[in-house]
Amino acid sequence: MPKQAKFTQGSTLKHIVTMSFTGALGLMIMFLVDLVDMLFLSMLDEREAVAAVGFASAIMFFTISLCIAVSIAAAAMVSRAIGSGDIELAKRRAVNVLAYGILFSTVLVYLVWPNIPHILLYIGAYGRTLDLATDYLQIVMLGLPAVMIGMIGSGIMRALGDARRAMYATLVGGIVNAVLDPILIFLFRLDVQGAALASLIARFSMVAVSYYGVVHVHKMLGEFDLMDFFKDVRPISYIALPAMLTNVCTPLANVIVMEYASSYGDDVVAAVAIVGRVIPVVFGGLFALTSAVGPILGQNYGARRFDRMHNTISSAVTYSFSYTAVVCLCLFWSKEWLIVMFSASKETAEMIRFFATYISFSFLFQSLMFIAIAAFNSLGKPFNGTMLNFCRATLGTWPLIFFFTLFMDAKGVWMGQAVGSIIFGSIALVMVRRFINELESKEVNEIELKESLPYDDVA
């Protein structure tokens, strides 16, 4: 059980780095396991098997995004309670978010599972690919409540400042999946169903690790009370639902980019696909900022440490700048190696060089968006983050891509997206700075008002 709010003391930059790197490692393990899945299935010499997992993954991406949204709510609510010193409230919120997540994910499985073949058919799967994708998804989907529990558990541990154990859940899940894949696919000759079963078992291993950390190590689950649960449903939904909408905005922007890229031919689409595989791995440290910044701000907001809240934003920007500079230099130096590794054609190679030389830096501004979204989620204004990300995915993508492709052709697709990130990332940073100033001014005014009242009125 936590005796004090860890993030209200010590270097905010150190907290940002620790939380981001542990979160990034967990994300990278997930992406690498996906690549291992595809690698093993490609060894079956059955093109439909790889395509089937690709279609199924598109559906799982959306469902897992919903799990991430609820885990954001868990981290925000528990961290604020910890920061204010109310451990019992933190326990109550932890158990109620967990109940909320289990109920939500169970209903989602109930609604999606019978309609899996129809959904896959709608997004373009057919024939044997449709059959294999249905088999895969019907098995993996059963583990969605386990994913929800594992992610909420990780969110609670991040709220407590235990970044290491929060990472263990994803790490153990990835290792279990990677070990079971070849056993079930090749040794037991289960093919696509073997890959699905490996993923399902891995999801339940995440539950075991999260349960151990939250219950046995931190003793952070209070007794479930139905009336308390109904009281907390509204504040949980107030954070979780906008976070779900925010997570949907990224694939929306990706669809717009892919639609424009496809008009320039397969070589350009191949470049977008290759870069799309590289980005999650190399920029994982920036994507992890969303789960890193939130708990730190939440604890300090609960403790009313506005000075540390300002420092947290500054530290996050410093971390983003340093990380992006290193990664962009590495990408620039290794661009020719990437071209050779992916056997890129002349036009594809030209696009990869353009991204590594001119476009990769724009991820600094995307990280400013991640920081702002995390801050708004933790400080009680989640719809601000949703609005920002939606505007970036629409106004910051389609019109700018249309404009830059007029005189840059295919390269204008990435240039338009990069300029959109620069504009809305800058706006996001200004908005979150102003919002923290408003919270601080409001707190100061309330304190001055109480001090100005006679003692009897205050009592």
Side-chain angles (χ1 to χ4, degrees):
M1 184 185 298
K3 295 181 180 178
Q4 61 185 17
K6 178 178 180 179
F7 296 135
T8 60
Q9 300 178 9
S11 166
T12 55
L13 181 59
K14 181 180 178 181
H15 291 320
I16 289 287
V17 172
T18 301
M19 293 285 283
S20 295
F21 269 100
T22 51
L25 184 57
L27 286 174
M28 289 176 189
I29 289 293
M30 288 179 65
F31 291 125
L32 287 173
V33 167
D34 285 341
L35 288 175
V36 169
D37 262 352
M38 297 291 254
L39 175 64
F40 285 135
L41 290 172
S42 66
M43 294 178 183
L44 296 173
D45 291 327
E46 189 175 9
R47 180 172 52 87
E48 292 86 355
V50 177
V53 175
F55 279 113
S57 296
I59 306 300
M60 287 304 298
F61 176 83
F62 282 99
T63 56
I64 291 176
S65 294
L66 303 182
C67 297
I68 293 172
V70 181
S71 75
I72 289 171
M77 296 180 69
V78 173
S79 64
R80 288 206 297 261
I82 292 293
S84 66
D86 195 337
I87 304 301
E88 292 305 314
L89 177 61
K91 288 183 176 182
R92 189 190 95 183
R93 286 177 170 174
V95 74
N96 287 339
V97 175
L98 190 60
Y100 181 99
I102 293 171
L103 180 62
F104 181 87
S105 57
T106 302
V107 170
L108 191 62
V109 172
Y110 177 78
L111 294 175
V112 172
W113 199 89
N115 297 301
I116 285 173
H118 306 294
I119 297 171
L120 290 168
L121 187 65
Y122 179 78
I123 64 173
Y126 61 90
R128 177 158 174 75
T129 300
L130 174 61
D131 294 336
L132 292 173
T134 300
D135 289 343
Y136 181 91
L137 200 52
Q138 284 182 336
I139 294 172
V140 175
M141 183 62 70
L142 296 175
L144 189 64
V147 174
M148 181 70 81
I149 295 170
M151 289 190 171
I152 290 173
S154 293
I156 293 170
M157 285 186 283
R158 284 196 302 271
L160 298 171
D162 193 349
R164 181 168 51 88
R165 284 193 179 87
M167 174 192 69
Y168 284 166
T170 310
L171 191 62
V172 169
I175 292 171
V176 169
N177 201 338
V179 170
L180 290 179
D181 261 338
I183 295 172
L184 295 176
I185 292 173
F186 300 113
L187 187 60
F188 288 92
R189 299 181 182 278
L190 293 175
D191 299 343
V192 170
Q193 291 182 344
L197 285 170
S199 297
L200 182 64
I201 296 169
R203 281 159 167 71
F204 283 101
S205 71
M206 290 174 60
V207 174
V209 176
S210 296
Y211 181 85
Y212 177 79
V214 173
V215 177
H216 289 283
V217 176
H218 295 290
K219 298 179 174 58
M220 273 302 297
L221 286 188
E223 292 185 7
F224 179 76
D225 183 276
L226 189 60
M227 295 308 297
D228 285 340
F229 174 73
F230 286 135
K231 289 178 185 176
D232 284 340
V233 164
R234 184 174 179 180
I236 294 169
S237 300
Y238 184 73
I239 298 173
L241 295 180
M244 291 176 191
L245 294 174
T246 301
N247 288 344
V248 170
C249 291
T250 299
L252 173 62
N254 291 340
V255 167
I256 295 172
V257 169
M258 188 58 75
E259 181 182 0
Y260 269 95
S262 64
S263 65
Y264 290 96
D266 291 342
D267 288 339
V268 174
V269 171
V272 173
I274 290 168
V275 170
R277 291 286 182 93
V278 172
I279 284 172
V281 177
V282 298
F283 287 108
L286 297 183
F287 295 150
L289 273 173
T290 303
S291 59
V293 172
I296 300 171
L297 282 175
Q299 281 194 13
N300 284 289
Y301 182 46
R304 295 302 189 260
R305 292 293 306 273
F306 292 99
D307 57 328
R308 290 184 62 82
M309 290 167 66
H310 288 295
N311 288 341
T312 298
I313 298 298
S314 299
S315 296
V317 173
T318 301
Y319 166 84
S320 297
F321 180 84
S322 304
Y323 186 96
T324 305
V326 171
V327 169
C328 288
L329 283 173
C330 291
L331 273 177
F332 179 77
W333 289 330
S334 62
K335 60 183 184 293
E336 299 302 325
W337 176 78
L338 285 172
I339 289 167
V340 172
M341 187 177 73
F342 286 101
S343 302
S345 66
K346 183 178 179 180
E347 189 172 1
T348 302
E350 188 178 347
M351 289 289 290
I352 292 173
R353 290 190 188 99
F354 181 71
F355 176 86
T357 305
Y358 301 106
I359 303 300
S360 58
F361 78 92
S362 67
F363 276 84
L364 168 63
F365 295 89
Q366 284 203 36
S367 70
L368 300 183
M369 180 74 70
F370 300 151
I371 294 167
I373 290 170
F376 286 125
N377 285 338
S378 296
L379 303 179
K381 286 288 184 180
F383 281 101
N384 285 12
T386 302
M387 178 195 67
L388 278 169
N389 212 24
F390 180 77
C391 288
R392 181 192 66 84
T394 53
L395 297 176
T397 304
W398 179 78
L400 291 169
I401 290 177
F402 176 79
F403 173 75
F404 281 100
T405 52
L406 291 177
F407 55 90
M408 294 183 68
D409 294 327
K411 292 177 182 176
V413 175
W414 274 334
M415 182 58 75
Q417 191 180 28
V419 172
S421 295
I422 293 169
I423 293 171
F424 283 95
S426 302
I427 292 171
L429 183 62
V430 171
M431 284 179 62
V432 78
R433 290 281 195 189
R434 286 182 177 177
F435 181 60
I436 294 175
N437 286 332
E438 289 171 8
L439 290 176
E440 186 174 14
S441 297
K442 183 179 178 181
E443 182 75 10
V444 170
N445 291 337
E446 288 178 357
I447 292 172
E448 290 177 350
L449 179 62
K450 287 180 180 179
E451 290 177 347
S452 66
L453 291 174
Y455 176 80
D456 291 339
D457 291 343
V458 174

